[in-house]
Amino acid sequence: MDIIMSGFFQRALIGGMLIGITAPLMGIFLVLRRLSMIGDTLSHAAIAGVALGFVIGDFPILFGLIFALLASFAIEKLRKSYKSYAELSLAIIMSGGIALASIFFTLGRDLSMDANSFLFGFIYTLTPIDLWTMLGVTVAVLLIVGKHLHGLFLITFDEEAASVSGMPVSYYNILISVLTALVISISIKIVGGLLVSALLTIPAACSLLLAKSFKQSIMIVVLVGEVAVICGLLIAGVWNLAAGGTIVLVLIAFLLLILLGRNIFSRIA
Amino acid sequence: MNIGTEACHRDIITVDSVSFSYQQRDVFKNVSFSVMERDFIGLIGTNGAGKTTMLRIIVGLLKPTSGEVRLFGEPISQFKAWDRIGYVPQRNNLNPLFPATVKEVVLSGLSGKRKWFGRHSREDYQKCDDALMAMGVEDLAEKRIGQLSGGQQQRVFLARALINTPSLLILDEPTVGIDYETQESFFHMIKHMHQHHNMTFLMVSHDMEMIKGYLGESPASTAGKLNFYIRHSHETQDCIEDNLAHSLKHLRSQMESQKEG
């Protein structure tokens, strides 16, 4: 239990609680627009950026963000060239990201870089600067989503109606990509590049089963994300398990419980 | 093509020698027509005739290869008054699992600056209630949109389009996948609005049967495979009509009293 009282664990807990808000919040917009795989693709690109940061010597989160942003613009561009085969662009960028990351890993071998930590998270190395960055991103995401909730709802629900009502649809698309890239780049240290997309999509999957309104669905994703991050970190801390993996398994357990509960409920009712 | 030349009614939509080609293939060439205030235009054509393309060009979702579109007399690139346009989409684009209530969908039709966290003013809620009442779906306000029947969903989308009391209502194949009886009552409602409200209609459809009776047997004009059926709401000499209803609130009671009368 001592681990829970230690400074690095408490920093991990604060960081986890911050991304437990933002990642599911951006995830619900991606999932509802059928763009679940974008989170996965951007995070693979961000892994390459984080690795490059380590090779150069600093700013892994910043490089992760830049790579994720570049990837989101590349996806848009490729999507236009292939039109009806849009998911092809995701496959290309995803493997491109991992390819770059593997090259940076070999370049950084002498710097005692551990590939595992990029893929599966290195939450216990969070510095105060990391936490301030996470706090900044969380506040920014909450303010922007709060200010544009009406527009984000309309564009998610019915993109055509949004354009006919004069909304700048492409501006909103870029906004969603940029915010998602931001959230992913701050999440990599906590859950790892391979597991970020779980934090984006599984809370949304839970909320689709439960929510009756859009407002409810937003509250449910944040609640599920928060509870899963806190439970996952505590379990990982006490039993000395990988933090990112534990959080994701807790999320999946929640989803299974909700599915089970719904089945039982519908049989009784 | 010119539909009536009397000066009392302004042009709402002007399509001026518009051509559109997609991957080197002409979808249509040099199409011109204008829609005047209080017209009802049926844009009819088979699948692939380019009617949805034309609609997307009119509302600015697609740029024509050449030619110009004007809305309310303004070139579309400068047009800003989007809240004067109501839009009813094809219903089959709706994802039935989408977590949104009927009320949230109708409120999303309100344009302009919103408050923080998507909050609405009391006036907004009043407008929403009026639109729901007018379409007779007020009991469904808290239901999830995907739980509704096709006809109910279409009324909700109509309520969303009407919440701003628009001057122009655009309907894109509004009755696809809806049974005959529901279609009929839907058209009855639209016809009533056309005759008694100061509203202009542009409806895209591939199914002529329903609106033939209202818009006439033969198209007023054709352009390629696109057919335009036109009906003005009244004779031009009776132009000055001052008993037009402007409020949504009384739409339903009016319709009901008409039915009884």
Side-chain angles (χ1 to χ4, degrees), chain B residues 182-233:
Chain B
T182 318
Q183 278 188 30
E184 209 162 22
S185 79
F186 186 78
F187 279 120
H188 178 73
M189 190 144 52
I190 301 258
K191 279 186 253 178
H192 176 93
M193 288 193 299
H194 179 226
Q195 281 158 1
H196 301 282
H197 288 246
N198 188 2
M199 219 184 271
T200 308
F201 289 78
L202 174 66
M203 182 155 100
V204 167
S205 178
H206 67 270
D207 172 25
M208 254 318 282
E209 284 311 303
M210 270 296 171
I211 42 179
K212 228 179 211 165
Y214 193 54
L215 298 180
E217 285 293 321
S218 56
S221 169
T222 56
K225 281 184 248 168
L226 293 175
N227 296 314
F228 299 92
Y229 291 76
I230 298 153
R231 178 180 173 131
H232 201 56
S233 58

Side-chain angles (χ1 to χ4, degrees), chain A residues 47 98 105 114-122 188 191-195:
Chain A
I47 294 173
I98 285 296
F105 286 144
D114 180 7
N116 275 336
S117 59
F118 298 95
L119 304 180
F120 305 113
F122 36 121
I188 282 190
V191 281
L194 291 185
L195 299 175

Side-chain angles (χ1 to χ4, degrees), chain B residues 88 91 102 106 131-137 140 145 148-162 174 178 181-182 184-186 189 252 255:
Chain B
V88 181
R91 196 183 51 88
V102 165
V106 174
L132 288 169
M133 279 290 265
M135 292 299 111
V137 285
L140 306 171
I145 182 84
L148 272 53
S149 72
Q152 289 169 331
Q153 281 171 3
Q154 210 42 268
R155 279 166 182 255
V156 171
F157 284 125
L158 198 52
R160 177 181 70 174
L162 293 175
I178 295 178
E181 252 171 61
T182 318
E184 209 162 22
S185 79
F186 186 78
M189 190 144 52
R252 198 156 124 214
M255 267 181 71

Side-chain angles (χ1 to χ4, degrees), chain A residues 22-115:
Chain A
T22 49
L25 184 61
M26 290 320 295
I28 185 85
F29 293 111
L30 296 181
V31 168
L32 288 177
R33 302 188 70 198
R34 305 189 175 205
L35 299 173
S36 311
M37 291 307 289
I38 278 197
D40 226 1
T41 310
L42 294 186
S43 61
H44 282 71
I47 294 173
V50 173
L52 179 65
F54 272 90
V55 171
I56 289 175
D58 212 345
F59 311 119
I61 289 186
L62 181 67
F63 278 106
L65 171 65
I66 293 171
F67 272 56
L69 284 178
L70 289 176
S72 70
F73 295 130
I75 291 168
E76 270 314 300
K77 197 97 193 120
L78 278 173
R79 213 163 35 165
K80 278 182 191 137
S81 322
Y82 287 105
K83 287 203 169 93
S84 49
Y85 296 103
E87 71 277 13
L88 194 54
S89 62
L90 299 183
I92 295 168
I93 303 289
M94 196 183 295
S95 44
I98 285 296
L100 267 179
S102 72
I103 289 175
F104 293 143
F105 286 144
T106 17
L107 286 177
R109 239 182 336 221
D110 305 335
L111 306 164
S112 73
M113 262 181 27
D114 180 7

Side-chain angles (χ1 to χ4, degrees), chain A residues 8 11 22 81 114 126 130 144-145 174 202 207 209 215 229 240 246 257 263:
Chain A
F8 71 83
R11 279 199 293 278
T22 49
S81 322
D114 180 7
L126 284 184
D130 291 334
I144 293 170
V145 170
I174 293 171
I202 299 175
S207 128
L209 295 172
K215 285 227 164 107
V229 166
N240 197 22
T246 314
L257 280 176
N263 268 346

Side-chain angles (χ1 to χ4, degrees), chain B residues 10-28:
Chain B
R10 301 180 309 135
D11 272 7
I12 302 290
I13 302 173
T14 317
V15 171
D16 194 357
S17 41
V18 160
S19 305
F20 187 78
S21 46
Y22 177 71
Q23 293 177 340
Q24 276 91 48
R25 193 180 63 90
D26 286 337
V27 180
F28 40 71

Side-chain angles (χ1 to χ4, degrees), chain A residues 146 150 158 160 163 211 214, chain B residues 56 61 99 104 114 117 144 160:
Chain A
H150 181 81
D158 187 345
E160 302 235 330
S163 359
F214 190 65
Chain B
R56 294 172 70 93
L61 289 173
E104 285 175 322
R114 290 296 110 215
F117 305 109
R144 202 153 109 159
R160 177 181 70 174

